[in-house]
Amino acid sequence: MAKILLVDDEESIRFTLSAFLRRDGHVVVTAASLDEALRALEPANGGPPDLVVTDIVLRGENGLDFARVVRERCPFVPVILLTGRPSVESAVRAVSEGAEQYLIKPVDKEQMLQAARTALRHKALEDERRALVAERENLRVHLEAVFQAVPDVLVTVTPDLRVQRMNLAARELPGGARDARQAAGRRFDEALGLFAPLFRPVLDETLGARRASRRRRVSAQLADGREQVFEIEAAPLAGGGGEFLGALLVARDVTRLAGLEEALGHRAGMNQIIGRSAPMSELFHLLDELAQTDTTVLITGESGTGKELVAEALHRGGPRALGPLVKVNCSALSEHLLESELFGHVRGAFTGAVRDRVGRFQLAHGGTIFLDEIGDVSSAVQLKLLRVLQEREFERVGDTRTVKVDVRVIAATNRPLPELVRSGRLREDLYYRLRVVELHLPALRDRRPDIPLLVDHFVEQFNIHFHRRVAGVTPAALKALTAHSWPGNVRELRHALEHGFILSRGDVIDVDALPPEVRAAAGVGSPAAAVPRSIPCDTDLPGNAGGGWTGGRADRVEWGRSGAGHMGGVPPVGPVGPVGPVSPAVGPEGAAHSGFYPDGTPVDLPVAGRRAAPASATPAESDGTSGGHVGEDAAPYGPDAGRRLRLTPELLADALRRAGGNKARAARLLGVSRQTVYRKLVEFGMADGTGDGEEGGPARPGS
């Protein structure tokens, strides 16, 4: 529905034509004079109409003058002129005033409606065109604002490397064109100045291949000695019909980021690969170079050296960082499961394949796949891997359709692949396909200067994990950590520090909290532990019912400990003999006869006056190597379970001396019953065994 202004001084014509137009669905406003028509054009009366139909002769006024006014006020409103006296002069002027139609009266219905419809259709198309032009201009203005406001360098070039547009950041480059009008149409090398040789290779790649180029990092030395680093990439420009128009260069200033990365790299490596030793510095350099390519990489090294971290660094540092990183442990699956895992399968391919499954290679499309323990794959899987590496295509298990993938392959192994090739367990062609570039990770023992850095790194991690505030390790602990050979490499070091976190309760980890093998590497013995239920004691002297003793062997025995095994007060310290100062006992190899009581009190016993064991003594009574518990109860556990040891006169005399002659206290000190003390006193000829055992005097050794 359109709004039409009809101007005519004859009422019958106004009535007839307005009736035609209203029946056609339009709103008609009529005017008998130019004054009325001019008022109808005012915004207060609804604004301009969509179409004006006016007579040329209007009682002394000229409709052509009104057509001119309409064109001036409402330039996009079409005008249809009516005349009862046509002439060449009026027709020429009608065209010059921009009239849409020139109709001669009398005008019939169809003629009027056809002219109105044509004029309105042209106006609708023109309105749409103007709207599109306005929208395009608005979009152009916005894009220009964005183009100029982006801090990155933006340059568009034609296929022959002539600059089309440069943003403000590009014009501010040292040695570049300062004026955008001067830059347009100039050669790229002239407009970009100092940075043109650095940016040119990525543009050449895009213009030559007509596809986006990979991101790469370049740097330039400025006149003032500063280094400016850019990450650059380029993308092709295409027209609405797909024609190739040139390329867009994007250069991002990452000087500050590069400085931070370098500082962090000197401190702790990259991607949590810690180290700054010579082997690690060389490794980081290779990682920087390889990350920007799609080259297949083989990572070798002992178990625990961080091969998976290196694979992650290669993926995250390159153009595939936004794509997936898919990891597969090739040694964890059987041949058929690994084939299905890598390449996928279709429903019914084998028993249990109830639905289609996408393989890891397909999941890694656009990214990287990491094949760990590649030396453990079977011959059938090796053949399919070889095809993927060569053709970047494969078939799923049970399927005949070929699947193409864009994926980077990184493999790792701790096995010697050349030996597997010589033995026929690994295809030689697959080996060389995997080993385009080999990264060998050094063992931890070959980069000992990195151990303090790794220790600090793991301490930070475990502080978060265990909610602790451990400051680090003591110098002795660090010395032990540095001295260890680390057959398990960094993984073993991490577990050793976790062991230290668990056993240490202070704010630093000392050497006694580290695993035994680490302490042993530094020549540090096992830490003193809490008194266990059975305490080692090298006092295995065979007893004798005959009452005397002679020198015997001094080996280790285990002392039983009862709930009342501790004697009140502080036990005396130092070696004490049974009746006075005597020399310590020495065994066949010259070792002093010493040990501990059940409460931890040290023992240092003499040999003077020992009596030989009788020939009738049982092996348990005469074999100095046997172990058990003091007293008559069998050892409840351990390799010596079932054996019995008899209380020796030396130990009994020393215990009585320490207990001040109190037999009950001596029994508690020895960890035996009071009745056993009485009986042994009689057996050893040291007392008659009578008395209450509470106030008895000092025991007398037999003679």
Side-chain angles (χ1 to χ4, degrees):
M1 182 178 65
K3 178 182 177 181
I4 300 175
L5 174 61
L6 176 62
V7 185
D8 201 299
D9 56 356
E10 296 183 25
E11 184 178 359
S12 60
I13 294 179
R14 293 199 307 271
F15 178 80
T16 301
L17 295 181
S18 63
F20 294 161
L21 295 172
R22 286 191 180 101
R23 291 190 189 119
D24 203 37
H26 305 297
V27 176
V28 181
V29 178
T30 61
S33 64
L34 290 183
D35 290 339
E36 292 181 13
L38 291 173
R39 285 195 298 271
L41 295 178
E42 295 177 356
N45 294 319
D50 297 312
L51 174 65
V52 173
V53 180
T54 181
D55 192 4
I56 293 178
V57 180
L58 296 168
R59 293 179 183 177
E61 297 176 317
N62 195 332
L64 290 172
D65 295 335
F66 180 65
R68 185 179 68 255
V69 173
V70 171
R71 188 182 65 178
E72 293 173 354
R73 293 189 182 182
C74 313
F76 306 116
V77 175
V79 177
I80 297 176
L81 292 175
L82 306 177
T83 182
R85 290 177 289 183
S87 66
V88 174
E89 181 183 358
S90 63
V92 171
R93 189 178 174 191
V95 173
S96 66
E97 297 296 345
E100 183 77 19
Q101 294 279 352
Y102 183 83
L103 302 180
I104 301 173
K105 294 180 180 180
V107 180
D108 61 17
K109 175 182 177 182
E110 292 301 326
Q111 189 180 12
M112 183 73 254
L113 294 179
Q114 182 64 31
R117 290 168 183 168
T118 301
L120 290 172
R121 183 166 58 252
H122 288 173
K123 180 181 184 299
L125 292 174
E126 185 64 21
D127 288 346
E128 183 179 359
R129 185 191 68 81
R130 288 196 307 273
L132 291 175
V133 170
E135 182 181 359
R136 185 177 64 183
E137 178 63 17
N138 188 44
L139 182 61
R140 186 194 68 78
V141 171
H142 282 79
L143 288 177
E144 180 66 18
V146 173
F147 189 81
Q148 297 299 335
V150 168
D152 300 338
V153 172
L154 301 178
V155 182
T156 59
V157 298
T158 61
D160 59 350
L161 272 175
R162 292 195 176 272
V163 174
Q164 291 178 317
R165 296 190 63 78
M166 294 174 60
N167 70 341
L168 181 61
R171 296 197 300 272
E172 291 179 347
L173 288 175
R178 297 294 180 179
D179 192 337
R181 290 171 296 183
Q182 294 178 0
R186 294 177 61 183
R187 295 286 300 175
F188 178 81
D189 296 340
E190 300 173 358
L192 268 293
L194 174 66
F195 286 89
L198 300 176
F199 297 164
R200 178 71 181 271
V202 71
L203 271 178
D204 289 340
E205 180 182 337
T206 298
L207 293 174
R210 296 191 177 187
R211 59 178 175 82
S213 61
R214 298 179 180 87
R215 182 182 304 172
R216 63 189 65 179
R217 183 171 289 188
V218 297
S219 61
Q221 198 77 21
L222 304 182
D224 58 2
R226 294 183 299 110
E227 183 182 38
Q228 197 164 8
V229 184
F230 284 93
E231 280 186 351
I232 57 174
E233 54 188 322
L237 295 175
E243 63 274 17
F244 183 67
L245 302 179
L248 167 67
L249 171 74
V250 181
R252 182 173 298 108
D253 189 345
V254 293
T255 304
R256 182 173 179 272
L257 177 62
L260 293 174
E261 288 177 348
E262 183 178 2
L264 182 61
H266 286 314
R267 174 181 172 270
M270 59 190 302
N271 194 50
Q272 296 194 14
I273 306 174
I274 311 300
R276 59 187 177 193
S277 60
M280 297 306 293
S281 298
E282 183 179 354
L283 175 65
F284 295 152
H285 176 72
L286 287 174
L287 286 178
D288 283 335
E289 296 294 330
L290 290 173
Q292 305 302 321
T293 69
D294 272 346
T295 303
T296 302
V297 178
L298 176 64
I299 306 172
T300 60
E302 298 179 7
S303 178
T305 51
K307 294 185 285 293
E308 185 172 337
L309 289 179
V310 171
E312 292 176 357
L314 288 172
H315 171 74
R316 294 174 181 171
R320 296 179 179 269
L322 298 179
L325 172 61
V326 179
K327 305 174 184 178
V328 184
N329 188 339
C330 299
S331 65
L333 300 171
S334 63
E335 174 183 343
H336 298 293
L337 289 178
L338 179 60
E339 184 178 5
S340 172
E341 191 73 20
L342 291 176
F343 308 109
H345 62 256
V346 296
R347 180 180 178 182
F350 50 83
T351 303
V354 296
R355 59 179 176 273
D356 292 356
R357 180 175 180 179
V358 175
R360 298 294 184 94
F361 269 98
Q362 200 166 349
L363 290 175
H365 181 74
T368 306
I369 186 169
F370 174 53
L371 304 176
D372 198 9
E373 303 300 342
I374 192 65
D376 295 333
V377 297
S378 64
S379 300
V381 177
Q382 289 179 32
L383 188 60
K384 299 195 74 171
L385 282 176
L386 184 64
R387 182 183 177 190
V388 174
L389 292 172
Q390 289 176 338
E391 310 294 338
R392 291 296 190 267
E393 63 182 26
F394 62 90
E395 287 90 28
R396 292 189 293 175
V397 178
D399 198 3
T400 58
R401 292 170 296 179
T402 299
V403 179
K404 289 189 172 294
V405 290
D406 174 24
V407 63
R408 181 184 191 179
V409 178
I410 299 176
T413 182
N414 59 5
R415 304 181 64 184
L417 294 188
E419 294 184 7
L420 297 181
V421 172
R422 286 191 293 270
S423 64
R425 287 178 289 175
L426 181 67
R427 295 178 61 99
E428 186 175 12
D429 47 1
L430 176 61
Y431 171 65
Y432 288 112
R433 280 287 179 181
L434 292 172
R435 190 179 171 268
V436 177
V437 176
E438 180 177 349
L439 282 178
H440 182 74
L441 304 189
L444 185 56
R445 61 182 173 274
D446 296 330
R447 56 184 188 104
R448 294 185 188 273
D450 294 334
I451 291 178
L453 289 176
L454 290 164
V455 169
D456 292 341
H457 174 70
F458 290 136
V459 166
E460 291 177 7
Q461 284 190 342
F462 288 132
N463 273 328
I464 297 173
H465 179 73
F466 290 108
H467 306 287
R468 298 272 299 278
R469 293 184 179 179
V470 174
V473 299
T474 63
L478 183 59
K479 180 180 178 182
L481 292 169
T482 307
H484 187 47
S485 61
W486 300 114
N489 293 291
V490 180
R491 183 185 295 118
E492 184 187 0
L493 174 61
R494 186 181 190 277
H495 293 166
L497 289 171
E498 185 175 4
H499 183 281
F501 257 81
I502 294 172
L503 295 188
S504 175
R505 289 295 176 262
D507 57 355
V508 292
I509 299 176
D510 203 354
V511 66
D512 59 356
L514 298 176
E517 62 273 13
V518 178
R519 296 196 305 270
V524 180
S526 299
V531 180
R533 183 179 185 276
S534 295
I535 301 174
C537 179
D538 48 355
T539 54
D540 183 15
L541 301 179
N544 182 357
W549 68 87
T550 59
R553 295 181 57 184
D555 293 314
R556 301 178 64 86
V557 299
E558 291 185 341
W559 288 65
R561 180 177 178 181
S562 65
H566 288 285
M567 185 177 67
V570 180
V573 180
V576 180
V579 292
V582 292
S583 60
V586 178
E589 299 179 359
H593 176 66
S594 60
F596 295 92
Y597 283 110
D599 65 348
T601 303
V603 178
D604 201 351
L605 301 178
V607 295
R610 291 183 183 174
R611 297 178 183 175
S616 60
T618 63
E621 296 172 334
S622 58
D623 186 2
T625 63
S626 63
H629 291 262
V630 175
E632 312 231 342
D633 297 328
Y637 56 84
D640 298 319
R643 298 184 181 180
R644 290 190 303 169
L645 297 177
R646 296 187 178 276
L647 182 61
T648 63
E650 293 175 310
L651 298 178
L652 181 56
D654 185 62
L656 287 171
R657 181 180 179 84
R658 291 174 182 270
N662 189 309
K663 301 181 182 60
R665 291 180 182 176
R668 288 195 296 270
L669 180 62
L670 293 169
V672 297
S673 66
R674 191 171 53 185
Q675 287 75 15
T676 300
V677 172
Y678 293 151
R679 185 171 65 256
K680 292 300 180 182
L681 286 172
V682 175
E683 289 181 4
F684 299 152
M686 299 169 63
D688 56 4
T690 61
D692 60 5
E694 297 293 337
E695 302 296 337
R700 300 188 312 274
S703 56

